[in-house]
Amino acid sequence: MKVLAFTLFCLFIAVNEAKVYERCELARKLKNSKLDVVSGHSIANWVCLAYYESRFNSRLVGPPNRNKSQDYGIFQINSRWWCSNGKGTTANGCRSSCSAFLDDDITNDIECAKRIVKDPNGISAWVAWRNYCRGKNLSKWTQGCRL
Ligand SMILES: *[C@@H]1O[C@H](CO)[C@@H](O)[C@H](O)[C@H]1NC(C)=O
Ligand SMILES: *[C@@H]1O[C@H](CO)[C@@H](O)[C@H](O)[C@H]1NC(C)=O
């Protein structure tokens, strides 16, 4: 019985492991949330950004930044400005705990991204977008996705 309980426990852990989104699955979710309309940037920009920030891993916690802040979830939302992780000061612009950006349901991550792009930096707030997506031909990121 103990063995069975342990096996079930491991299964539970496995099922709850990092959800890595499929490219088109993510694209559809972002489209349905109207992130393109709200942000003024195409879905391909956001799929590219998420790929280079988190490799589509909704549970990713980034390594501590030099200034000790950390980045959370599929969009690697920063704890200094947008969420609270209980360490150090935060502007907490999205009024959220950082851990809330680590589950498989990325609805709240998308809502926070909508808030982040409203700032003057816009989508340039994401270093990965500036380095890998800006000015690139992004059509491959949504290619073959029924949006
Ligand atoms: C800390 O570093 C992160 C990542 O480099 C950056 O996004 C954030 O704005 C920085 N915070 C401050 C207060 O400089
Ligand atoms: C972008 O790349 C796709 C194929 O990857 C190509 O069909 C398209 O013509 C390219 N667009 C531009 C503007 O270069």
Side-chain angles (χ1 to χ4, degrees):
M1 196 57 208
K2 271 209 176 111
V3 173
L4 177 63
F6 184 69
T7 307
L8 287 174
F9 178 73
C10 291
L11 269 175
F12 178 78
I13 297 286
V15 167
N16 275 275
E17 250 179 23
K19 166 149 171 130
V20 177
Y21 273 73
E22 299 292 341
R23 180 175 57 88
C24 286
E25 177 189 20
L26 177 63
R28 274 191 298 275
K29 172 77 183 165
L30 300 179
K31 182 79 185 171
N32 291 340
S33 306
K34 300 192 163 45
L35 184 55
D36 52 346
V37 178
V38 174
S39 71
H41 296 280
S42 69
I43 294 302
N45 275 283
W46 290 100
V47 175
C48 177
L49 180 162
Y51 177 79
Y52 287 109
E53 286 290 354
S54 67
R55 296 298 190 270
F56 302 150
N57 180 354
S58 69
R59 301 252 175 128
L60 182 68
V61 180
N65 298 314
R66 245 169 297 160
N67 60 28
K68 297 204 172 66
S69 66
Q70 266 182 298
D71 300 325
Y72 293 81
I74 198 153
F75 296 131
Q76 290 290 279
I77 291 171
N78 183 258
S79 66
R80 172 62 184 81
W81 301 112
W82 304 109
C83 60
S84 170
N85 63 3
K87 298 179 226 166
T89 51
T90 176
N92 199 0
C94 290
R95 300 265 162 273
S96 172
S97 70
C98 295
S99 58
F101 296 132
L102 297 179
D103 59 0
D104 298 344
D105 181 356
I106 60 169
T107 307
N108 54 335
D109 305 59
I110 296 169
E111 291 312 307
C112 185
K114 287 176 182 173
R115 170 65 191 83
I116 294 171
V117 292
K118 275 194 204 153
D119 262 17
N121 285 337
I123 199 170
S124 295
W126 283 273
V127 176
W129 180 84
R130 294 204 304 268
N131 290 344
Y132 303 108
C133 310
R134 179 164 65 187
K136 299 278 191 320
N137 181 344
L138 299 174
S139 63
K140 68 171 179 179
W141 293 106
T142 47
Q143 207 155 44
C145 306
R146 279 172 291 109
L147 298 182

